Amino acid sequence: MDISDEGPTLDRQWIDLGNNVCGMLRGCRDASAVAARFVGAGWNSLSSSWHGYELETSWCQIEIDPIDGPNVLLNGVVDPARLDDLGRLLSYFGLPYELELSDEDDVLVREIRG
């Protein structure tokens, strides 16, 4: 299943932060399969477009959208202290990724890959 509202919702402290994470999941064409993995890990998942999904837990809310070719774009908000947790989760799912974390002024703070 790729849609679920049984997980936790984003904590209010992160709602006002605005988008601070963006990246790409390499080699996966199907955002539905990615969403299903997050649902299996207890996250909420909602359809956000024909092929895109919004994924949410208490410390992160991201949208994933497939693009031309074998990649999926990712953007949203994450607790900056938990960027590595998001990376570990993507690695656990077997998804190669590149993530960029920006501060409130849209200045790049960190990049991680896996």
Side-chain angles (χ1 to χ4, degrees):
M1 170 173 272
D2 59 2
I3 296 181
S4 171
D5 63 358
E6 296 179 8
T9 58
L10 186 66
D11 287 345
R12 289 200 97 19
Q13 66 186 4
W14 307 122
I15 291 172
D16 295 333
L17 184 61
N19 285 3
N20 68 347
V21 67
C22 65
M24 187 163 311
L25 308 178
R26 301 248 178 233
C28 60
R29 297 175 188 264
D30 186 5
S32 175
V34 174
R37 290 178 180 149
F38 278 88
V39 168
W43 288 47
N44 285 327
S45 173
L46 302 170
S47 177
S48 62
S49 67
W50 283 103
H51 302 285
Y53 292 84
E54 181 179 285
L55 307 170
E56 179 180 54
T57 192
S58 62
W59 52 271
C60 183
Q61 182 183 63
I62 53 176
E63 290 205 29
I64 56 171
D65 289 293
I67 57 174
D68 291 340
N71 300 318
V72 171
L73 289 179
L74 173 154
N75 71 75
V77 61
V78 64
D79 171 352
R82 303 213 47 191
L83 180 66
D84 290 327
D85 292 338
L86 179 58
R88 277 190 288 276
L89 189 59
L90 294 169
S91 292
Y92 175 77
F93 294 154
L95 300 170
Y97 66 88
E98 298 171 11
L99 299 176
E100 295 180 351
L101 179 69
S102 300
D103 66 15
E104 57 277 353
D105 296 319
D106 290 327
V107 174
L108 182 63
V109 176
R110 284 188 63 204
E111 292 179 87
I112 62 172
R113 295 170 190 224

